[in-house]
């Protein structure tokens, strides 16, 4: 269950949140099952955070640090994740329908069974990503790095590569 104090701190503003994170870098971040849809979390440090089943649809997470975060079954439809660090992040079963992920770092991320239909993945680093059974229909993968990615069972119908 989410830590309400941490949630209030994040909602108060990204600059204060990032300063607090820097001073409390060893503290576990638990924002599981919260509603942050439409929030401006641009450049927020959410590395290692538990955001499982959180509603982040329409949220601005451009340039955010989500490295090694738990985003299992998270709602990220129409979210802006451009230039975000999502390396080694757990995005299994996440809903990223229509999300903007251009120039994001998804290296080593687990996207197994994620919904990436209509997502913008241009210039995205997907090196070593697990994309098994991921729905990539109509996604734009132009100039993305898919080296050593696992695409077993992925649906690439209509995807631009």
């Amino acid at each position: 269950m989410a830590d309400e104090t941490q949630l209030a701190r994040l909602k108060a503003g990204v600059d204060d949140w990032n300063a607090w994170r820097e001073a409390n870098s060893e503290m576990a971040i638990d924002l599981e099952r919260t509603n942050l849809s439409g929030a401006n979390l641009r450049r927020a440090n959410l590395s290692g955070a538990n955001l499982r089943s959180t509603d982040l649809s329409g949220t601005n997470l451009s340039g955010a640090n989500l490295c090694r975060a738990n985003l299992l079954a998270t709602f990220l439809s129409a979210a802006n994740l451009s230039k975000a660090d999502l390396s080694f992040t757990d995005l299994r079963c996440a809903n990223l329908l229509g999300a903007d992920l251009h120039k994001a770092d998804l290296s080593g991320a687990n996207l197994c069974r994620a919904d990436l239909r209509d997502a913008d993945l241009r210039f995205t680093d997907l090196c070593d990503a697990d994309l098994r059974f991921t729905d990539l229909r109509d996604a734009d993968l132009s100039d993305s790095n898919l080296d050593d990615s696992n695409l077993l069972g992925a649906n690439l119908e209509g995807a631009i590569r």
Side-chain angles (χ1 to χ4, degrees), residues 39-101:
N40 184 3
L41 301 178
R42 185 172 181 259
R43 295 191 179 140
N45 180 358
L46 294 164
S47 61
N50 178 14
L51 292 155
R52 182 179 179 165
S53 300
T54 295
D55 187 353
L56 292 163
S57 54
T59 299
N60 182 359
L61 287 155
S62 61
N65 182 355
L66 291 150
C67 178
R68 299 189 188 279
N70 180 356
L71 293 163
L72 176 70
T74 297
F75 301 97
L76 288 152
S77 58
N80 181 353
L81 292 150
S82 61
K83 300 180 184 175
D85 183 355
L86 293 149
S87 57
F88 303 101
T89 298
D90 186 353
L91 285 154
R92 288 174 295 151
C93 303
N95 180 343
L96 291 140
L97 177 67
D100 181 352
L101 290 146

